[in-house]
Amino acid sequence: MRKKRQNSSPDHGTVGFDHLATSADLYSSGTPAEQPLYDNRRVSDAGHVHKTGRHQAVVGRRKETADPREKMALLAILKSVIVILLLMITFFLLWKGIKLYEEKVWMETQGEKELSPVLRDVVLIEEIDIAKQDAEKVFAERIKVWRESQRLIGSVDTLLARGNIDQAIKRCQDALLLDPAHSGALERLGELYFEKGLFIESVNSYIRLLSVDPSREDLQVKLIQSLDALGDAKSVVFMAKWYQEDNLYNEDVQRFLANALFVQKQFAEAAKAYERVLVDNANDIVAREKLADSYMQLEQYDKALTTLETLRVSNYREQRYYYGIAVCNAQLRNSEETVQALGKAAHLFGQKVVVAWVKDPKLDPVREDRAFQAFADRVGGEEFRKWLEQMARTMDGPEREEVTPQLKLPTTETIDAELLQPRK
């Protein structure tokens, strides 16, 4: 019985696992088959990802690399930059347009700058018919204007103490616009304009003041001074003579008159005017120099020589005094004195300076003199001496005999021989 049961049973090697094989079949559907242990694949299953239905759904879609919020922030920044650039361009174009407009207006109004109140045509005193107007109202308005103009003028000193001249001028101009006959504003403007170098405005300020009160001597002097600074010599002469007719002697006015006469080449009158200046002020160097120049222009070389000698004593280092003395002596044909003046100049200022002087045609009257030629030979050398000889032969006037230069200076008591020696 037992033996029969054994024959009907399956193989002994597998009989114990048949139920497991059957159970495994339940889980084999839908799952990958197990890899055998002897599979020699190079890639391990540990790194292998099995693609499921969820993976298959996203095939072909690029993976996101930036946060959407960052994109929105970048776009906002870009928009802000663009807006700022547009605003800057707009403001630049607006500024450029304004500049072009201002330049156009300036070109159209060039030469039409705003005139100072002293250059405008105004009525100094306005006529008021009290009988036909409300006197109280008229004087109330006048008092208001007078007070405001006085207030403006009262602030001028404070501005000047701070060194603000331009603002002080503006205050005076404002006061003058309110009251064209305000003497205080006109006088201050005359002084401030003169200080700023606005001489035309200064002249007009004093003209208005004298139109109100022509008897003021100080205003007459200031007007002459402004005219002198303006360079209107003709007006200076006219105003100075008018002043001298009605007032006592004034040294400043006399000096203005003398300078204006000299500029107009009225040298005779100028010399008299300078002589009068030196009567009261003998130390006026400028007046004495102008006097010497006037004498030389008049060819009064003896008077010019005396004046130049006085100047040389006061300042022996001034080159032009020696030059003037040499010219005067040459014109007076004092050859020895001419040589002495040139010799002193050569020792003080150098031979080159004197060589330039010797070429001056004003020394022609003594150019053929032996003492002069000897001096030229020592100072300028042989070549320079030959040039002097050529100059002497071509001088105006009758033909002269050729003079052989004397190498040895003549012995005279008037010439200092040491002055004619070459400098060591």
Side-chain angles (χ1 to χ4, degrees), residues 215-234:
S215 64
R216 288 187 58 179
E217 179 183 349
D218 59 329
L219 296 180
Q220 296 175 13
V221 175
K222 290 180 179 179
L223 175 57
I224 295 171
Q225 182 184 21
S226 298
L227 289 169
D228 178 78
L230 184 61
D232 190 350
K234 188 174 182 179

Side-chain angles (χ1 to χ4, degrees), residues 29-62:
S29 60
T31 59
E34 184 179 357
Q35 298 294 335
L37 295 175
Y38 53 84
D39 190 1
N40 293 328
R41 291 183 304 171
R42 294 182 180 180
V43 181
S44 174
D45 288 337
H48 183 71
V49 178
H50 299 287
K51 293 184 179 181
T52 62
R54 183 166 56 87
H55 289 88
Q56 296 295 332
V58 294
V59 172
R61 182 182 299 176
R62 187 169 58 89

Side-chain angles (χ1 to χ4, degrees), residues 72 87 118 127 171 176 179 181 188 214 230 237 248 327 331 380:
M72 294 179 65
L87 289 175
V118 299
E127 296 182 0
R171 294 290 176 86
L176 205 60
D179 185 5
R188 298 304 293 272
L230 184 61
V237 172
L248 298 176
V327 170
Q331 293 294 323

Side-chain angles (χ1 to χ4, degrees), residues 71-87:
K71 286 186 175 181
M72 294 179 65
L74 290 174
L75 289 174
I77 293 173
L78 182 60
K79 290 180 180 179
S80 301
V81 171
I82 293 173
V83 170
I84 292 173
L85 288 175
L86 290 175
L87 289 175

Side-chain angles (χ1 to χ4, degrees), residues 103-121:
E103 184 177 355
K104 179 182 177 182
V105 172
W106 181 82
M107 292 295 293
E108 292 176 352
T109 60
Q110 188 176 13
E112 301 179 1
K113 68 175 184 178
E114 184 179 359
L115 293 176
S116 170
V118 299
L119 301 178
R120 299 175 184 174
D121 294 332

Side-chain angles (χ1 to χ4, degrees), residues 380-391:
E382 183 70 17
E383 184 178 352
F384 184 69
R385 179 187 62 79
K386 291 180 180 179
W387 177 84
L388 288 177
E389 290 179 355
Q390 180 66 25
M391 287 290 296

Side-chain angles (χ1 to χ4, degrees), residues 308-358:
L308 287 169
E309 287 289 356
T310 304
L311 288 169
R312 186 184 63 81
V313 172
S314 64
N315 183 9
Y316 74 96
R317 299 293 301 181
E318 183 61 46
Q319 291 186 19
R320 57 177 173 165
Y321 298 161
Y322 293 89
Y323 168 75
I325 291 172
V327 170
C328 290
N329 281 308
Q331 293 294 323
L332 294 172
R333 299 185 181 277
N334 298 329
S335 59
E336 296 175 357
E337 288 80 1
T338 303
V339 170
Q340 284 185 345
L342 294 174
K344 292 178 181 179
H347 279 272
L348 289 172
F349 314 116
Q351 294 182 0
K352 291 183 179 180
V353 174
V354 177
V355 167
W357 293 354
V358 171

